[in-house]
Amino acid sequence: MMSRSPQSPSISCVIPAFNEARNLGAVVPHILETLSSLSDRIELIVVDDGSRDDTTQVMQALCAAHSEVVYLKLSRNFGKEPALTAGIDATRGDVVVLMDADGQHPVALLPEMLQKWQAGSDVVYAVRKTREDQSGLQVSLTGLFYRMVNFGNRVKIPANAGDFRLMDRKVVDALKSLPERNRFMKGLYAWVGFNSTAIDYQPLPRADGKSNFGLRGSLSLALTGILAFSIAPLRALTLVGLVLSAIALGYGGWVVGEYFFSGIAVPGYATIVVGMMFFSGIQLLSIGVLAEYVGRIYEEVKQRPPYLISQRAGAGLATPASAVGEDLPLERQEASLL
């Protein structure tokens, strides 16, 4: 890795938000204060993922008070991954920082991240030290997910690494060039590669309220990640088919041998019924797994944009043409055409 110029770069920070109105009023100024100490060219982009609370009113006040703040309101709730994509597409900084809106990502790590970037790292990502704030079931399922998604893959997704990270502009441009609609950002971060450095962190308590991303959301994201970055389920079905075929052939040979050499009659009704039910279950499971992959292909070929923006407010690092309070029509944004 080659060290970069000690001159402070322009910094873009992206924060996806869904019903975080009670947190944004405190989190945004806190992040702005830290970013301002690192560079005199900053922007903080908050992506409203179809919130149903007072997020719009809170963000309009923040945009009026801070010219560095940019507010992107999506036309509906698209999910965290598309919201992150919308924010990344809108950035203009030399480096891009991704953080959550709940205040759990410590801003005190930003200076260290920037130092490692200046030392030559293209990506600096934070890895959780512990998961004490999660239930035992969620911790076990998280560990199982990473084992499954990394099984047999050349590209390994770091375990316990989330969206809290700093990326160089060339990494951001690489992410913007990827055309997937079903986006699993943790996998995309790993897939693009580049020089990466991990740092440990302990999540802070939420500033207010409860997380909107529960077990159901985690399971849905895990399914998207496995289907997007692993063919392990398909390989498992192939292996199960081979094993069952071998067992069936062995059992058939044993039955025929017993009949001819020992004179034992072939087992009847119970064996047939149990065998049919078992193999029918395996077939339905296989069809279900295949259907999940085909469903993802169906969504990709429609080429719908991953998000739509209904409103933009704030200038940030944009040119003066992007005035504060500007409203954009519901149309594909430039990066959504990828």
Side-chain angles (χ1 to χ4, degrees), residues 311-338:
Q311 180 182 349
R312 174 185 173 121
L317 292 173
T319 58
S322 296
V324 176
E326 175 186 2
D327 290 344
L328 298 183
L330 291 177
E331 61 183 5
R332 290 187 179 184
Q333 304 304 303
E334 177 182 353
S336 300
L337 298 176
L338 296 176

Side-chain angles (χ1 to χ4, degrees), residues 74-153:
L74 303 189
S75 60
R76 63 171 176 83
N77 178 248
F78 286 86
K80 185 179 181 181
E81 310 298 285
L84 279 170
T85 302
I88 290 173
D89 290 343
T91 59
R92 291 177 171 84
D94 298 324
V95 298
V96 173
V97 177
L98 306 181
M99 302 184 71
D100 284 349
D102 54 12
Q104 290 193 286
H105 291 162
V107 296
L109 288 180
L110 295 182
E112 180 182 355
M113 287 180 163
L114 188 61
Q115 289 175 0
K116 292 186 179 299
W117 174 82
Q118 290 174 332
S121 293
D122 297 317
V123 179
V124 184
Y125 61 92
V127 179
R128 296 175 60 122
K129 291 181 181 179
T130 63
R131 291 185 174 272
E132 296 177 352
D133 57 327
Q134 297 179 346
S135 65
L137 175 61
Q138 193 167 357
V139 172
S140 300
L141 292 176
T142 300
L144 176 62
F145 162 74
Y146 281 109
R147 287 193 295 271
M148 290 182 61
V149 77
N150 287 327
F151 178 75
N153 284 346

Side-chain angles (χ1 to χ4, degrees), residues 133-308:
D133 57 327
Q134 297 179 346
S135 65
L137 175 61
Q138 193 167 357
V139 172
S140 300
L141 292 176
T142 300
L144 176 62
F145 162 74
Y146 281 109
R147 287 193 295 271
M148 290 182 61
V149 77
N150 287 327
F151 178 75
N153 284 346
R154 289 184 298 174
V155 178
K156 303 298 182 182
I157 300 176
N160 300 320
D163 296 309
F164 185 24
R165 60 188 60 225
L166 180 147
M167 301 179 292
D168 184 77
R169 168 50 55 180
K170 62 183 177 183
V171 180
V172 174
D173 291 339
L175 288 171
K176 291 170 64 175
S177 70
L178 301 179
E180 288 100 319
R181 270 66 182 172
N182 289 285
R183 301 179 72 84
F184 178 63
M185 297 304 296
K186 296 181 182 63
L188 296 181
Y189 302 143
W191 188 90
V192 297
F194 297 97
N195 296 321
S196 301
T197 301
I199 60 174
D200 293 331
Y201 88 106
Q202 183 61 37
L204 302 174
R206 280 182 58 88
D208 194 3
K210 296 182 179 180
S211 174
N212 296 304
F213 196 72
L215 181 60
R216 180 178 178 181
S218 299
L219 292 175
S220 177
L221 182 61
L223 180 61
T224 298
I226 291 174
L227 296 179
F229 282 89
S230 176
I231 59 172
L234 298 177
R235 289 177 175 173
L237 290 178
T238 301
L239 180 61
V240 169
L242 290 173
V243 171
L244 290 178
S245 297
I247 292 176
L249 289 173
Y251 177 70
W254 177 66
V255 170
V256 172
E258 273 196 326
Y259 178 77
F260 283 105
F261 295 103
S262 302
I264 299 177
V266 178
Y269 179 78
T271 302
I272 294 174
V273 171
V274 171
M276 289 180 61
M277 293 178 64
F278 177 73
F279 286 111
S280 296
I282 294 296
Q283 290 174 349
L284 291 174
L285 175 63
S286 303
I287 292 173
V289 173
L290 290 173
E292 287 291 338
Y293 279 94
V294 173
R296 295 309 192 277
I297 296 172
Y298 172 68
E299 292 180 359
E300 291 290 335
V301 299
K302 288 187 290 188
Q303 297 186 354
R304 292 174 180 169
Y307 62 86
L308 293 171

Side-chain angles (χ1 to χ4, degrees), residues 41-55:
R41 295 171 295 155
I42 65 172
E43 66 179 358
L44 196 158
I45 303 173
V46 177
V47 183
D48 181 359
D49 187 25
S51 297
R52 295 185 292 270
D53 59 1
D54 297 329
T55 296

